[in-house]
Amino acid sequence: MQVASSLERVTAALELREPDRVPTLNTLEEFSHINKILNKRAIPVTFFVTNKYASKVGDKLAPLINKSGYLDWEMDRRTYDLTAASVKLGCDSAWVMHVPIFRLRDTRYATDIYGRYYDVALDKQGNLDTPMYRGGLITGPDDWKAWDKSDLFKWPARTNKAFARVQKDFGERIFVMATFLFGLFENSWQTMGFERFAVALRREKDFLRRYIKFYEDHWCEMLEAWADAGVPGAIYTDDQAYRSGPMISPKLMKELYSDSLCRITETAHKLGMKIVIHSCGRVYDLLEWWADCGFDGVHALEPTAGVELARAKEMVGDRMCLLGNVDITHILVDATKEEVFEAVRESIAAAGKGGGYIIAPTNSHPDMSVERVQWMLEAVEKYGYYPLQV
Amino acid sequence: MGEQLEKVKTAMAELDLDAIAPGVQSALDAGEEPTLILANMADGMAAVGELFEKGEYFLADLVLAGEGMKEGLEVLEPHLKAGDRGGKGTVVLCTVKGDIHDIGKNLVATMLSSAGYKVIDLGTDVHQDKVVEAVRANSAGAVGLSVLLTPMVESIREVVNALKAAGLRDQVKIAIGGACTTQELADKMGVDALGRDAVEAIRIFEGFFS
């Protein structure tokens, strides 16, 4: 069979056709991974966070850092480097996030432009890690009305610029799946906290509907910005499930979010883009609904949440491409090369038949091993060519 | 059973948030024993757990039940005597060092408390020495450790080792739970049980104290 380009290979899989081999998606997105792959040095921020005296200076500098736009610039750079690292690894596609959303309160706490607050986190190399979510600042309609949304409105133009640069330099070599944080469900609950959200589901549905609509419009604007930059795909990241199942009843999920998700996928398709949904957790009860909403694919399919690829393939494999399923608690952290190869072989055997499968880690965290992701890619070269021999 | 008590239990089980606190007040006004009202709230909470296991209720419903329990207890608490709650045993709960996620841990705390256990909730990002101190100070019989993030799983081992070093490991049973936990991890870390959700966690702690 003729060797396909990465763009052709990924497009074929997303359209449920059989490519020349199973395509690959890179999800490694931590600074430590990017630096390792690109041989870059970490920015030494640990000192300013952990040293008693330096952190006092850092606390004073926090408002200036926010005002200078340094963090947002770092995020622009990360988006570019993340794509460059994915190309260097040899992946067919990459989950490319652009999130100029964080604002420092001081050296320990941060907020984001939606209304979450976080603990500042560092990885083991001293890089800034994804900050750890602590709770939400929007306790009701009044908080939401008063919330400064100006940075949200500026974001589409900034993301357009960041992805235009990415597409110009890498667009012909890799299928970029653009994304940002967060999806509508996560934005609904994380900005107010889950306890508050659970109560709002009973007592303040109208407020929630208005809230969801605002973020639906925001998502559509971001899709337009990506499409204008030439990005071929998007990942709609929205953890709607956890290890035992959906976080709220699927019936309520559909009632509140169906119209918005349908509009988001329709917008992507009208713009000529593919769109994949990402959700952690045990997602069986949501798969058919996501297919009904028009998603081209579904990512994560976490083995640690009990998701079996073969079952997912049987349920929706004729309607959506499956992406992910390679474990990030053991296989891509500390497994042997044989274990990694066997995990890849099993995933391809379960979901590769007839196309419609893109192999990928289920997520990203700093303890994942770049070497094991490279083994994953090697194993795809061994087992992933059609006709499959697994 | 009194009509008012039945109403409290039904309001809890049906997650009728607006009826729980008024129901508790009506039961008190009708002269029902506070401990009986508490028992009916707990029965309602147990019914919520059963419906969760049957797949009829979801995580948000468990959390809502917890919020309902809190609202009901705000009315009931002033009428309870010391010793009316927490007689089944003492459990120390926390999210481990390095991790600050607490939805699951808070849920287990509320459900254990409503099931009659004394809960020492140490919060999030808790150092192993604090767990040891809490077990010792409260003569706890069990420890529950929550962890969401894979990079933080070693913190579980640190708690186990600290309890061993303090000579307390034989006194306590340890259960873990959270998104990244697996049975393999539980075995590797030398803990006694893995809870896949809050309802299973309650059953595990019931087993520890039986």
Side-chain angles (χ1 to χ4, degrees):
Chain A
M1 181 187 272
Q2 198 183 345
V3 177
S5 72
S6 288
L7 296 181
E8 289 166 341
R9 193 173 286 142
V10 175
T11 304
L14 288 169
E15 290 177 353
L16 310 181
R17 292 182 283 112
E18 200 172 89
D20 62 330
R21 75 153 162 74
V22 173
T24 56
L25 168 78
N26 179 37
T27 65
L28 288 176
E29 61 170 10
E30 316 298 331
F31 279 115
S32 55
H33 301 139
I34 298 168
N35 290 342
K36 185 167 185 186
I37 296 164
L38 299 179
N39 299 319
K40 288 194 169 188
R41 293 182 66 176
I43 297 169
V45 293
T46 313
F47 179 68
F48 286 99
V49 176
T50 55
N51 181 278
K52 197 167 77 174
Y53 303 105
S55 67
K56 280 186 182 161
V57 177
D59 290 348
K60 291 252 186 314
L61 287 175
L64 287 175
I65 292 170
N66 292 334
K67 207 171 174 188
S68 71
Y70 171 74
L71 286 177
D72 292 355
W73 176 82
E74 268 294 309
M75 291 299 157
D76 296 344
R77 188 175 71 89
R78 178 174 176 254
T79 297
Y80 186 88
D81 284 354
L82 172 53
T83 319
S86 303
V87 169
K88 194 171 173 195
L89 273 178
C91 293
D92 295 307
S93 57
W95 149 312
V96 183
M97 194 172 274
H98 181 239
V99 282
I101 61 173
F102 301 109
R103 303 289 177 260
L104 294 173
R105 283 261 170 112
D106 51 36
T107 50
R108 285 156 297 154
Y109 301 109
T111 57
D112 71 20
I113 59 178
Y114 297 108
R116 291 170 183 73
Y117 61 97
Y118 304 86
D119 276 6
V120 170
L122 300 173
D123 67 20
K124 287 166 190 163
Q125 285 77 42
N127 299 286
L128 277 176
D129 192 3
T130 307
M132 275 202 257
Y133 169 74
R134 256 204 187 277
L137 299 166
I138 310 291
T139 61
D142 291 340
D143 283 344
W144 173 236
K145 200 174 166 188
W147 187 255
D148 178 4
K149 303 171 188 72
S150 57
D151 282 340
L152 276 166
F153 296 128
K154 287 180 208 157
W155 192 357
R158 188 174 191 113
T159 210
N160 173 271
K161 209 171 151 191
F163 278 100
R165 190 167 165 240
V166 161
Q167 282 301 116
K168 179 173 162 283
D169 289 355
F170 306 112
E172 292 190 0
R173 284 186 278 169
I174 195 162
F175 188 106
V176 170
M177 298 202 195
T179 191
F180 70 103
L181 302 170
F182 295 88
L184 309 185
F185 177 70
E186 282 189 285
N187 255 344
S188 316
W189 79 257
Q190 290 188 352
T191 48
M192 58 180 78
F194 200 72
E195 286 88 352
R196 172 78 184 77
F197 174 70
V199 174
L201 284 171
R202 288 288 165 128
R203 287 180 172 157
E204 291 165 289
K205 260 193 202 170
D206 285 345
F207 166 55
L208 283 179
R209 285 198 178 92
R210 292 199 303 278
Y211 206 53
I212 292 164
K213 181 75 178 81
F214 177 89
Y215 287 117
E216 170 196 319
D217 292 343
H218 181 56
W219 252 93
C220 290
E221 283 170 32
M222 293 294 274
L223 283 165
E224 283 167 15
W226 291 331
D228 184 68
V231 174
I235 297 188
Y236 173 81
T237 55
D238 202 14
D239 289 339
Q240 298 177 7
Y242 72 120
R243 64 180 304 155
S244 295
M247 292 173 77
I248 69 172
S249 89
K251 192 179 159 206
L252 194 51
M253 191 75 89
K254 288 174 195 174
E255 181 194 324
L256 287 169
Y257 297 94
S258 275
D259 290 349
S260 298
L261 295 193
C262 287
R263 185 176 155 223
I264 287 169
T265 61
E266 277 165 21
T267 303
H269 293 151
K270 273 183 200 161
L271 293 164
M273 296 174 78
K274 303 290 184 195
I275 184 161
V276 168
I277 184 165
H278 160 90
S279 174
C280 295
R282 191 176 171 87
V283 295
Y284 289 130
D285 291 345
L286 301 167
L287 286 174
E288 282 172 13
W289 172 52
W290 291 338
D292 292 343
C293 287
F295 287 102
D296 299 296
V298 52
H299 174 260
L301 306 168
E302 282 187 294
T304 45
V307 179
E308 291 171 13
L309 263 185
R311 186 172 162 198
K313 181 91 171 174
E314 197 184 315
M315 287 175 74
V316 291
D318 59 339
R319 302 176 70 198
M320 281 194 295
C321 176
L322 307 182
L323 301 89
N325 192 243
V326 182
D327 168 63
I328 58 162
T329 61
H330 166 56
I331 294 296
L332 296 179
V333 176
D334 55 9
T336 63
K337 193 167 184 178
E338 289 70 30
E339 285 178 307
V340 174
F341 269 60
E342 182 54 17
V344 168
R345 194 197 63 74
E346 281 176 11
S347 292
I348 291 175
K353 196 179 167 193
Y357 178 52
I358 297 175
I359 198 160
T362 55
N363 215 314
S364 179
H365 65 76
D367 282 4
M368 283 169 69
S369 146
V370 172
E371 188 181 25
R372 282 159 185 81
V373 172
Q374 287 167 325
W375 291 346
M376 180 190 89
L377 300 173
E378 274 180 44
V380 175
E381 285 295 319
K382 181 174 178 184
Y383 299 120
Y385 280 91
Y386 289 92
L388 297 175
Q389 305 289 326
V390 287
Chain B
M1 189 197 297
E3 191 191 342
Q4 299 303 330
L5 292 176
E6 187 64 36
K7 278 186 181 171
V8 169
K9 183 176 155 184
T10 306
M12 277 299 302
E14 293 180 354
L15 304 172
D16 187 353
L17 207 56
D18 296 329
I20 296 168
V24 170
Q25 188 58 58
S26 299
L28 285 168
D29 294 345
E32 297 289 359
E33 279 293 318
T35 49
L36 269 180
I37 300 172
L38 183 64
N40 277 272
M41 288 169 72
D43 287 348
M45 192 76 171
V48 169
E50 282 167 26
L51 289 165
F52 175 80
E53 291 210 302
K54 283 184 190 164
E56 290 177 37
Y57 278 171
F58 294 84
L59 180 64
D61 301 315
L62 289 183
V63 171
L64 193 66
E67 293 302 299
M69 194 79 191
K70 281 182 207 160
E71 290 186 12
L73 280 173
E74 268 179 38
V75 179
L76 189 62
E77 197 84 65
H79 303 274
L80 292 170
K81 295 186 207 107
D84 281 349
R85 298 178 67 194
K88 282 194 183 174
T90 302
V91 182
V92 171
L93 284 183
C94 72
T95 301
V96 298
K97 190 176 69 185
D99 198 341
I100 59 169
H101 295 86
D102 64 1
I103 295 175
K105 187 265 298 168
N106 291 348
L107 197 49
V108 171
T110 306
M111 293 184 77
L112 275 175
S113 181
S114 68
Y117 293 89
K118 182 181 176 188
V119 176
I120 311 295
D121 186 347
L122 301 177
T124 61
D125 190 13
V126 176
H127 192 276
Q128 61 270 20
D129 292 349
K130 280 196 176 170
V131 179
V132 171
E133 202 181 302
V135 167
R136 189 179 281 130
N138 296 281
S139 304
V143 171
L145 303 173
S146 175
V147 56
L148 182 92
L149 304 170
T150 306
M152 310 311 168
V153 295
E154 281 303 318
S155 300
I156 297 171
R157 198 194 303 277
E158 287 167 12
V159 174
V160 174
N161 289 342
L163 286 166
K164 273 185 194 166
L168 294 168
R169 180 64 183 97
D170 294 338
Q171 176 191 315
V172 288
K173 295 274 191 184
I174 305 172
I176 61 169
C180 66
T181 55
T182 59
Q183 189 55 51
E184 292 75 34
L185 181 76
D187 296 340
K188 203 165 123 186
M189 294 292 156
V191 299
D192 302 296
L194 162 78
R196 276 165 298 187
D197 55 54
V199 176
E200 192 177 56
I202 305 311
R203 209 168 29 242
I204 287 167
F205 286 111
E206 296 270 7
F208 284 170
F209 286 96
S210 66

